[in-house]
């Protein structure tokens, strides 16, 4: 069970890493631009943060790197990551290091905006193969994943107990989820609150045996009976009122409704931990595996990579910074600070051994689905998310048919 996390201890732990972390050097190649000077370098990191806890953790790691290297690092928080990065790339003045969302990776890689440094990172094989595939372009690992999280079913244990439920009632199947969600829905409380995005509802598609594409992302598989069964199940709960979208509850996101006690359950990843600590520290909760569907277990995994700009004047030093940020000790410190699951397999094992309550967020296996990373597919999925807003009264079959058609058109453009 989760209660309060201790952020100060984690931040101090990061600062101490400066004394033990080792810097690394990388050989220059003919494509590497000249450093601005022979002395200390000034780097900029641009992040899209989940909240104050993540921002503080990155700032602490940057300060530890500064102490170790003698270089200077400025951490900037983006208001609109995709827009700001796009403008920076177009203007020729990108940040040196930055978060790259898996949904945008192919667009940036195809456009030549990313410096492919992946194989320069020490023990690169320790990174999760599933995550690394999300950031591989034309057979080359372009950038390394910074952390990861799978979706879990998060339960407000106080509301659970008030409803007379015990741990034996934790749902493990769709039928049980539907039943307890209805039982928990009363007054101002809704049993399950999530978003209308495929990044959440797509987990039901995976549990039904479907998905948007085939595993190799060479074929669109959206218009299938499995995906239709998943959306019909979600629509049924929406119709019953035991499932609501966050927007329908005047909440900025599902975590807000959950933290305020208006949602007894939600479907979110480990980024929720930092938000709960910062905004709702007295709310106790448990993180469970998502209930199994007709085809068995299924969840979605999300990650960003540490991008290095092709046009950076500090590429060699930027890669050195990424090397520091992705060391096992730093990844574990990040996890302690805001719940991020390390992307290095060895670090993830150590972190989850110390945080067994987060095990569902660190799920791995064939039933864990990564996002679609095809160039141009972000627009297709944005339209699908818009369609899902009206799922309660809409036609799931028509939505999947449109997704299939638009997806095939985007796939054809990639050939």
């Amino acid at each position: 069970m989760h209660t309060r996390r201790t952020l100060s201890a984690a931040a101090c732990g990061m600062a101490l890493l400066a004394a033990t972390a080792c810097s690394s050097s990388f050989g220059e190649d003919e494509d590497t631009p000249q450093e601005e000077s022979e002395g200390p370098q000034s780097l900029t990191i641009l992040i899209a943060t989940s909240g104050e806890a993540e921002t503080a953790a990155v700032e602490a790691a940057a300060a530890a790197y500064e102490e170790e290297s003698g270089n200077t690092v400025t951490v900037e928080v983006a208001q609109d990551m995709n827009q700001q990065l796009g403008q920076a790339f177009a203007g020729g003045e990108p940040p040196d290091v930055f978060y790259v969302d898996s949904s945008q990776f192919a667009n940036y890689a195809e456009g030549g905006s990313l410096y492919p440094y992946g194989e320069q990172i020490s023990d690169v094989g320790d990174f999760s193969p599933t995550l690394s595939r999300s950031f591989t372009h034309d057979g080359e690992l372009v950038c390394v994943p910074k952390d990861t999280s799978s979706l879990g079913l998060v339960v407000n244990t106080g509301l659970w107990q008030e409803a007379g439920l015990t741990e034996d009632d934790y749902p493990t199947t769709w039928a049980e989820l539907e039943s307890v969600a209805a039982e928990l829905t009363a007054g101002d409380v809704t049993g399950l609150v999530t978003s209308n995005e495929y990044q959440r509802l797509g987990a039901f598609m995976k549990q039904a045996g479907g998905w948007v594409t085939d595993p190799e992302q060479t074929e669109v598989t959206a218009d299938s009976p499995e995906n239709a069964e998943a959306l019909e199940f979600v629509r049924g709960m929406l119709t019953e009122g035991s499932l609501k979208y966050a927007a329908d509850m005047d909440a900025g996101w599902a975590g807000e409704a959950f933290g305020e006690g208006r949602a007894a359950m939600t479907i979110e990843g480990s980024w929720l931990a930092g938000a709960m600590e910062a905004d709702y520290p007295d709310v106790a909760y448990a993180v469970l595996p998502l209930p199994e569907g007709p085809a068995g277990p299924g969840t979605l995994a999300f990650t960003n990579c540490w991008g290095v700009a092709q046009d950076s004047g500090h590429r060699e030093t930027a890669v050195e910074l990424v090397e520091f940020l992705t060391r096992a000790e730093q990844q574990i410190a990040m996890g302690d600070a805001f719940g991020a699951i390390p992307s290095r397999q060895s670090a993830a094992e150590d972190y989850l051994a110390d945080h067994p309550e987060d095990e569902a967020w660190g799920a791995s296996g064939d039933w864990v689905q990564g996002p679609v990373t095809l160039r141009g597919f972000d627009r297709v999925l944005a339209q699908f998310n818009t369609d899902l807003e009206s799922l309660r009264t809409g036609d799931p079959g028509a939505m999947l048919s449109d997704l299939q058609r638009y997806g095939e058109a985007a796939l054809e453009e990639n050939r």
Side-chain angles (χ1 to χ4, degrees):
M1 183 184 299
H2 285 257
T3 52
R4 299 189 62 136
R5 289 175 180 262
T6 305
L7 298 184
S8 58
C12 291
M14 282 191 208
L16 290 174
L17 290 180
T20 58
C22 299
S23 63
S24 57
S25 61
F26 304 93
E28 295 183 9
D29 60 61
E30 60 183 10
D31 295 326
T32 301
Q34 294 295 317
E35 297 283 356
E36 290 184 352
S37 68
E38 296 299 323
Q41 305 297 308
S42 296
L43 304 177
T44 300
I45 299 177
L46 183 66
I47 67 173
T49 183
S50 61
E52 294 179 3
E54 181 171 357
T55 302
V58 176
E59 290 174 342
Y65 170 75
E66 288 180 324
E67 185 174 344
E68 162 67 26
S69 67
N71 297 318
T72 300
V73 180
T74 300
V75 178
E76 298 179 353
V77 178
Q79 299 302 312
D80 186 322
M81 190 69 175
N82 294 336
Q83 181 183 60
Q84 288 176 236
L85 268 183
Q87 291 172 343
F89 290 146
E93 296 184 356
D96 300 292
V97 178
F98 43 89
Y99 286 9
V100 177
D101 185 86
S102 54
S103 67
Q104 295 296 324
F105 166 74
N107 297 333
Y108 297 149
E110 187 72 21
S113 299
L114 303 179
Y115 174 54
Y117 68 85
E119 296 302 328
Q120 299 181 41
I121 298 298
S122 300
D123 196 14
V124 71
D126 189 31
F127 288 93
S128 162
T130 298
L131 302 178
S132 294
R133 278 195 295 271
S134 294
F135 300 113
T136 298
H137 181 69
D138 289 341
E140 183 176 27
L141 179 61
V142 175
C143 51
V144 294
K146 74 178 190 70
D147 52 40
T148 185
S149 177
S150 299
L151 295 178
L153 182 69
V154 189
V155 172
N156 181 314
T157 53
L159 293 176
W160 195 264
Q161 292 167 4
E162 288 177 13
L165 300 171
T166 69
E167 293 184 5
D168 291 338
D169 298 304
Y170 284 159
T172 60
T173 65
W174 280 8
E176 292 173 356
L177 176 65
E178 187 174 26
S179 176
V180 296
E183 193 167 351
L184 290 162
T185 300
D188 295 333
V189 177
T190 299
L192 176 62
V193 176
T194 188
S195 73
N196 61 281
E197 301 170 307
Y198 102 99
Q199 292 93 330
R200 302 295 179 274
L201 303 184
F204 292 98
M205 295 162 63
K206 186 68 176 178
Q207 293 155 15
W211 185 238
V212 181
T213 69
D214 66 331
E216 292 75 29
Q217 296 191 126
T218 59
E219 181 182 354
V220 180
T221 58
D223 193 4
S224 70
E226 293 81 5
N227 289 334
E229 182 177 15
L231 295 190
E232 287 288 0
F233 172 74
V234 174
R235 185 172 71 160
M237 291 188 65
L238 286 168
T239 301
E240 294 169 0
S242 58
L243 165 61
K244 290 182 180 178
Y245 292 149
D248 295 331
M249 300 189 70
D250 295 323
W253 67 301
E256 178 183 334
F258 183 80
E260 292 177 350
R262 295 187 289 133
M265 298 182 291
T266 189
I267 296 173
E268 287 293 344
S270 64
W271 49 83
L272 179 68
M276 293 298 291
E277 168 61 27
D279 300 326
Y280 312 102
D282 297 324
V283 176
Y285 60 94
V287 185
L288 315 174
L290 293 181
E292 296 185 13
T299 189
L300 309 185
F302 298 95
T303 184
N304 293 311
C305 80
W306 287 110
V308 170
Q310 181 71 35
D311 291 341
S312 169
H314 311 277
R315 286 194 331 212
E316 183 178 353
T317 308
V319 174
E320 181 183 85
L321 172 58
V322 173
E323 172 86 38
F324 181 89
L325 294 171
T326 57
R327 293 187 184 281
E329 303 97 317
Q330 287 290 349
Q331 289 203 336
I332 290 172
M334 291 276 190
D336 289 339
F338 64 95
I341 309 299
S343 56
R344 284 189 177 275
Q345 297 174 102
S346 59
E349 290 176 4
D350 291 342
Y351 175 80
L352 291 173
D354 289 338
H355 300 275
E357 70 278 6
D358 291 347
E359 186 174 353
W361 280 335
S364 61
D366 294 340
W367 48 277
V368 179
Q369 176 66 54
V372 179
T373 58
L374 294 169
R375 180 170 60 90
F377 227 84
D378 54 316
R379 299 189 300 272
V380 174
L381 293 169
Q383 179 58 53
F384 185 44
N385 286 344
T386 298
D387 294 341
L388 289 172
E389 291 177 5
S390 59
L391 179 58
R392 185 175 65 84
T393 57
D395 180 359
M399 295 177 188
L400 293 170
S401 177
D402 287 344
L403 177 58
Q404 181 77 27
R405 180 160 49 92
Y406 299 145
E408 288 177 347
L411 191 61
E412 188 62 32
E413 291 180 0
N414 284 314
R415 290 178 174 147

